[in-house]
Amino acid sequence: MQKKLKVVAASVLFASLSACSLLPEQSDETKGWSASKLYSEAKEELAGQHYERAIQLFNKLEASYPFGVYAQQAQMEVAYAYYKSQDQAQALAAVERFIKLHPNHPNVDYMYYLRGLINFNDQIGLLNFVYEQDPAERDPKATREAFAAFKALVDKFPESQYAPDAIDRMKYLINAMATYEVYVARYYYRRGAYLAAANRAMDSVREYSDSPAIEEALWIMIRSYDKLGNVALRDDATRVFKQNFPNSKFLDEGAPKPERKWWKFWSAS
């Protein structure tokens, strides 16, 4: 019986090997391609928005020609391709890898800039929560990371061609972070959590003193302290408010208007 089982097993193995030998070998169309050929084909795929194929070709280029200038360029292009395909995690990983491997590359400033853009576009989506989700449920981590990335670019490469745009985006991000804090403060105020509202508004005033959002932050502080019966802090906040915003609309209307959609300018970025 045991002998018969061995014969059957051998027959099955032989049949499997024979079947495999009948299958056509999977061909690699890129076999033998030069570095320049791989790069040009990958760039063409990238331009055509075929990001997955472009990434495959760039990775093939780096694997086949790891020590040439094309390999370094391929690493940068892969990061950009992941960014365009909205794969944030892979894009950031590719950026960090390039910066670590090539800290002195002549175009490393672009990778710092791209790192900011990746997080910047993610936080644009975060702002959409305003009408969809309670603000206390979200944390603007991507906003802070985008700001830090752009700041690193400006600090390390102040003469970079990407620095002016990074500075503009940093200004926007400051407003975005301040607006987030004010929105949360308003959220707390409307639910009767006046101490939490006052503290959140104070955070905005302290951290983002140059943002237009602090006008409403101060107004929330005034109203919150009034609700809490803290006359001293209310009057102090009122003094600062009137000194900085003597013609504020809040003084006439007594309550803040809905948020202005000032961030829409960036929605196309």
Side-chain angles (χ1 to χ4, degrees):
M1 181 66 180
Q2 188 175 6
K3 183 177 181 181
K4 289 182 178 181
L5 289 176
K6 289 182 179 180
V7 172
V8 171
S11 299
V12 171
L13 178 60
F14 178 77
S16 299
L17 293 173
S18 299
C20 291
S21 64
L22 295 175
L23 294 175
E25 292 186 6
Q26 196 171 22
S27 62
D28 180 6
E29 65 173 328
T30 66
K31 187 177 181 180
W33 284 11
S34 66
S36 61
K37 170 69 172 177
L38 279 166
Y39 183 76
S40 63
E41 290 291 329
K43 285 289 286 184
E44 185 174 334
E45 296 290 350
L46 184 60
Q49 300 182 9
H50 306 135
Y51 302 122
E52 184 176 352
R53 178 58 175 164
I55 291 168
Q56 291 175 352
L57 290 174
F58 283 129
N59 285 335
K60 176 73 173 179
L61 168 57
E62 183 184 357
S64 301
Y65 303 96
F67 304 112
V69 292
Y70 280 111
Q72 295 179 10
Q73 189 64 32
Q75 292 169 10
M76 298 177 68
E77 299 287 3
V78 162
Y80 178 75
Y82 277 127
Y83 162 64
K84 294 298 291 183
S85 65
Q86 300 183 343
D87 190 336
Q88 185 198 26
Q90 291 282 14
L92 286 174
V95 166
E96 297 299 341
R97 176 173 178 260
F98 185 90
I99 292 175
K100 183 177 180 179
L101 291 175
H102 313 290
N104 299 316
H105 191 278
N107 294 323
V108 73
D109 60 328
Y110 170 71
M111 300 306 281
Y112 279 88
Y113 178 66
L114 183 58
R115 181 169 62 181
L117 287 181
I118 294 165
N119 284 302
F120 182 85
N121 282 0
D122 182 71
Q123 74 87 25
I124 287 293
L126 179 145
L127 286 176
N128 292 333
F129 83 92
V130 171
Y131 298 107
E132 301 171 359
Q133 186 178 21
D134 287 340
E137 296 178 10
R138 296 290 296 270
D139 179 54
K141 178 182 177 182
T143 312
R144 294 193 296 268
E145 290 180 348
F147 182 88
F150 287 131
K151 188 175 187 302
L153 166 65
V154 174
D155 290 345
K156 290 178 177 291
F157 309 99
E159 302 302 320
S160 169
Q161 61 178 312
Y162 308 107
D165 185 70
I167 291 171
D168 287 342
R169 291 175 188 267
M170 286 169 63
K171 292 176 182 177
Y172 162 80
L173 290 166
I174 288 175
N175 287 337
M177 290 185 284
T179 299
Y180 175 87
E181 296 297 324
V182 170
Y183 190 88
V184 175
R186 193 187 315 128
Y187 166 84
Y188 286 138
Y189 181 86
R190 288 173 177 171
R191 284 153 182 77
Y194 302 120
L195 181 59
N199 289 339
R200 204 68 186 240
M202 174 62 77
D203 288 342
S204 181
V205 172
R206 286 175 176 170
E207 296 182 29
Y208 313 109
S209 59
D210 294 329
S211 170
I214 68 166
E215 178 182 357
E216 185 176 349
L218 283 167
W219 181 249
I220 292 174
M221 288 172 60
I222 293 170
R223 299 177 73 197
S224 297
Y225 289 139
D226 185 63
K227 291 289 187 181
L228 291 168
N230 194 323
V231 177
L233 289 179
R234 180 201 65 191
D235 291 347
D236 187 52
T238 301
R239 176 183 58 79
V240 174
F241 182 86
K242 289 183 176 180
Q243 182 179 355
N244 288 276
F245 307 102
N247 301 314
S248 174
K249 63 182 183 294
F250 296 124
L251 293 173
D252 296 329
E253 301 172 6
K257 289 182 178 180
E259 290 182 337
R260 293 167 293 185
K261 300 179 182 179
W262 50 269
W263 63 79
K264 291 297 183 181
F265 170 77
W266 292 101
S267 61
S269 298

